[in-house]
Amino acid sequence: MSQSRDLTTGPVSGHFRALAVPMAIGMVFTTLYNVVDTFYAGMISTDAQAGLAISFQVFFVMLAFGFGLNAALNALVGKALGEKRAGQAKRIACQGITYSVLASVVLSIIGFYATPYLLAIVSEPGAYRAAGQSYLQVLLFAAPSFLVAFSANGILGAQGDMTSMQRAQIAAFFCNLVLNPLLIFGVPGVVGGIGFNGIAVSTAISQTGVMVFILHRVFCSDVMAHKQDAVFRPRGKWLNQITQQALPTCFTMIVMMMAGFVMQYFLKEFGAAAVAAYGVGLRVEQLILLPGFGLTGALLPIVAQNFGAGQFDRVREALWFCCKTGVLLMLCGSAVLWLAAPYAMAVFTDDPEVIRIGAQYLRVDGFILPVYIVLFAINSFLQALQKPIYTLWVGIYRQGVAVFAFVWLFVRLFDMGTLGVWFGLALAVTTGLVLSLVLSARVARSEIGGWRS
C-alpha cells in the first residue's frame, strides 16, 4: 500500500527534496517523450514538425482541464489531510475520479468538431495544417487517458506521492521510444508503417498504460483505504466544490494556450520554418525548466497540507524556499540557453532557418527563466490556498492581452520580424509577474497574515 507523507512536520527543505526530485525526474522523461515525437517528426519533414507544433497547441486546450482537475484535487485532498479529515479526503478523491471520466467524454466530443476551426486560427492551408489535423483526429482517442491520469495523480500528489507518476512517465518514454519508429516506418519486409500518424497512435497506447497504472496506485493509497465508503456516483455538493477549484485553473491553462495561438498567429506569416522553430524551441525550453517545475509542483501539496493544519509559518517558509532555490537554478539555465541554443536546436532539425530562428527564441527567452519560476511558484501558492481565480486574472492579462499587445507592437509597429515576437512574449511575462505579486500579496494578507510572520 502507498503511504501518505505528512508534510506538516519535519524540515520543509527535506519535503521539497522528497517531492521535487521524483517529480522533476518524471518530467524529464515526459519532456524526453515529447522530444522523441519532435525528433521523429523531423525525420519525416519540416511540415510534419510544424504540424506537430500546431496540434500540440490545440490538444493542450483539452489537457488544460486535466491540469485543472489535478490542481483542484491536490489542493482539496491535501487540505483535508492537513485538517486530519481522512474520510472527507476519500470522498473528494472518489468524486474527482468520476468527474474526470465524465469530463473526458464530453471534451472528446467537443474536440472532434472544434479541431478544424482551431487549427485554422494558427496555420495556413497546406501540408503542415493537414498533418496537424490528421494527428489530432487520432490523438483524441487518448484524451480520456490523459484527463483521468492527471486527476488521479492529483490525489497521489496531495498525499506526497510523486514517485508513482515518475515511474509511469519513465515507462511511457521507453514505450514511446520503441513504438514511434515501429509505427511510423514499420518493419522492412514484414509490415509497412503508417507514417506521421504513428506518433499519435504511439501516444494513445502509452498514455492509456499510464492511466491504468496511476489509477491502480490511487486505489492502493492510504486515502482510499479509509473506512469511509467509496462513493463514485456523482454528488452535486462535491462536484460543485471540485468545479470551483478546477475551472479557474482550467481557464488559466487555456488562456496560456491563447498565448500560443497568438504566437502562432504572428509566426505563420514568416513561414513553416518559424512555426517549426517555435515548436522545437518549446521542447528545449521545457528541458531547462524541469528543475523549476519539480520545485513549484512540490510546493502545492506542501502548502495545502500546512494551510489545512493552520501552520502558516511553514506555508511562508515553503513559498520563499521555492522562489529562492528556483531563481538560482534558472540563472544557471539562462546561461546554458544563451551558449548552447543553436546546438540544442540542431539536435532536432538540420534546417538552417529553423535552427537560426529557434536559437533566437531561446536566447531571448533565457533572460526570463527566473521570472517564469516565480510566477509558477505563486500560482501553486494560490491554488493551494484555494484561490485559483487570481491565477486566472493574471493569465488573462499575461497570456492574452499583454502577449497580443506587445507582440503586435514589436512586429507590426517596429517591424522587428520574429525577434519582435520573442521580445513581446518576454515583456508580457515580466509585467505579468508584477501583477501576480500584487494580487498574491493581497491573498497572503487575507489568508495567512501576510508573506512574513
Side-chain angles (χ1 to χ4, degrees), residues 5 26 47 54 68 101 135 169 178 192 196 228 236 311 323 332 353-354 363-364 388 390 432 453:
R5 185 180 183 90
D47 283 324
I54 61 172
V101 172
Y135 176 86
Q169 289 167 332
V178 173
F196 180 58
Q228 173 72 39
Q311 299 197 40
C323 289
C332 297
E353 187 65 2
V354 173
R363 283 172 169 160
V364 172
Y390 290 97
S453 55

Side-chain angles (χ1 to χ4, degrees), residues 122-267:
V122 298
S123 64
E124 297 290 350
Y128 80 103
R129 180 191 289 183
Q133 183 163 339
S134 177
Y135 176 86
L136 278 172
Q137 287 174 343
V138 177
L139 198 60
L140 281 173
F141 288 101
S145 298
F146 278 103
L147 264 67
V148 174
F150 272 124
S151 302
N153 191 51
I155 299 168
L156 294 176
Q159 301 175 75
D161 178 1
M162 299 295 184
T163 305
S164 294
M165 181 55 85
Q166 171 200 328
R167 293 172 180 171
Q169 289 167 332
I170 292 172
F173 163 74
F174 285 107
C175 180
N176 196 45
L177 190 63
V178 173
L179 288 178
N180 253 337
L182 184 64
L183 293 170
I184 294 170
F185 305 113
V187 179
V190 179
V191 62
I194 58 176
F196 180 58
N197 281 348
I199 299 175
V201 174
S202 174
T203 298
I205 294 171
S206 56
Q207 293 305 316
T208 299
V210 169
M211 177 194 68
V212 170
F213 177 74
I214 294 300
L215 280 175
H216 167 71
R217 295 295 292 170
V218 167
F219 287 115
C220 291
S221 69
D222 284 354
V223 161
M224 300 302 285
H226 190 267
K227 63 182 180 180
Q228 173 72 39
D229 290 339
V231 180
F232 293 97
R233 183 179 177 181
R235 299 288 178 86
K237 172 187 175 182
W238 300 110
L239 296 185
N240 181 57
Q241 190 172 357
I242 294 170
T243 299
Q244 289 178 10
Q245 293 302 312
L247 281 187
T249 304
C250 293
F251 287 122
T252 299
M253 301 302 295
I254 290 174
V255 170
M256 181 187 297
M257 284 300 98
M258 284 175 55
F261 283 122
V262 170
M263 299 285 282
Q264 300 282 10
Y265 173 78
F266 283 100
L267 286 171

Side-chain angles (χ1 to χ4, degrees), residues 45-60:
S45 67
T46 296
D47 283 324
Q49 268 189 335
L52 189 67
I54 61 172
S55 62
F56 174 77
Q57 299 289 348
V58 173
F59 191 70
F60 197 88

Side-chain angles (χ1 to χ4, degrees), residues 57-407:
Q57 299 289 348
V58 173
F59 191 70
F60 197 88
V61 173
M62 181 173 291
L63 291 186
F65 286 86
F67 285 115
L69 288 170
N70 179 287
L73 294 173
N74 206 322
L76 291 170
V77 175
K79 184 172 183 287
L81 291 174
E83 295 170 338
K84 309 304 180 186
R85 301 172 69 183
Q88 179 169 313
K90 183 175 183 178
R91 285 192 293 269
I92 295 170
C94 294
Q95 292 294 297
I97 293 171
T98 298
Y99 197 119
S100 66
V101 172
L102 296 175
S104 65
V105 173
V106 173
L107 290 172
S108 295
I109 295 172
I110 294 173
F112 179 80
Y113 290 104
T115 290
Y117 303 101
L118 293 173
L119 286 175
I121 297 173
V122 298
S123 64
E124 297 290 350
Y128 80 103
R129 180 191 289 183
Q133 183 163 339
S134 177
Y135 176 86
L136 278 172
Q137 287 174 343
V138 177
L139 198 60
L140 281 173
F141 288 101
S145 298
F146 278 103
L147 264 67
V148 174
F150 272 124
S151 302
N153 191 51
I155 299 168
L156 294 176
Q159 301 175 75
D161 178 1
M162 299 295 184
T163 305
S164 294
M165 181 55 85
Q166 171 200 328
R167 293 172 180 171
Q169 289 167 332
I170 292 172
F173 163 74
F174 285 107
C175 180
N176 196 45
L177 190 63
V178 173
L179 288 178
N180 253 337
L182 184 64
L183 293 170
I184 294 170
F185 305 113
V187 179
V190 179
V191 62
I194 58 176
F196 180 58
N197 281 348
I199 299 175
V201 174
S202 174
T203 298
I205 294 171
S206 56
Q207 293 305 316
T208 299
V210 169
M211 177 194 68
V212 170
F213 177 74
I214 294 300
L215 280 175
H216 167 71
R217 295 295 292 170
V218 167
F219 287 115
C220 291
S221 69
D222 284 354
V223 161
M224 300 302 285
H226 190 267
K227 63 182 180 180
Q228 173 72 39
D229 290 339
V231 180
F232 293 97
R233 183 179 177 181
R235 299 288 178 86
K237 172 187 175 182
W238 300 110
L239 296 185
N240 181 57
Q241 190 172 357
I242 294 170
T243 299
Q244 289 178 10
Q245 293 302 312
L247 281 187
T249 304
C250 293
F251 287 122
T252 299
M253 301 302 295
I254 290 174
V255 170
M256 181 187 297
M257 284 300 98
M258 284 175 55
F261 283 122
V262 170
M263 299 285 282
Q264 300 282 10
Y265 173 78
F266 283 100
L267 286 171
K268 69 181 182 180
E269 65 185 73
F270 301 108
V275 175
Y278 180 55
V280 175
L282 282 176
R283 305 297 194 210
V284 175
E285 177 194 54
Q286 287 171 358
L287 283 170
I288 301 296
L289 282 169
L290 285 176
F293 287 146
L295 275 171
T296 56
L299 179 64
L300 201 163
I302 293 173
V303 171
Q305 283 197 24
N306 284 284
F307 179 57
Q311 299 197 40
F312 300 152
D313 282 341
R314 287 176 63 85
V315 170
R316 288 184 280 264
E317 181 185 355
L319 175 62
W320 290 116
F321 178 88
C322 181
C323 289
K324 289 186 288 186
T325 306
V327 167
L328 288 174
L329 288 171
M330 289 306 104
L331 287 174
C332 297
S334 298
V336 171
L337 280 187
W338 181 257
L339 296 172
Y343 306 106
M345 291 295 300
V347 172
F348 306 104
T349 178
D350 57 4
D351 187 323
E353 187 65 2
V354 173
I355 293 173
R356 182 189 68 81
I357 297 173
Q360 183 188 72
Y361 164 68
L362 291 174
R363 283 172 169 160
V364 172
D365 200 58
F367 284 105
I368 58 171
L369 290 183
V371 177
Y372 276 123
I373 288 305
V374 178
L375 271 169
F376 297 157
I378 292 174
N379 282 349
S380 290
F381 171 75
L382 292 171
Q383 288 164 349
L385 266 57
Q386 299 186 16
K387 299 292 183 181
I389 190 65
Y390 290 97
T391 66
L392 177 58
W393 300 136
V394 173
I396 290 173
Y397 166 77
R398 176 171 72 90
Q399 296 155 327
V401 177
V403 166
F404 186 88
F406 290 131
V407 172

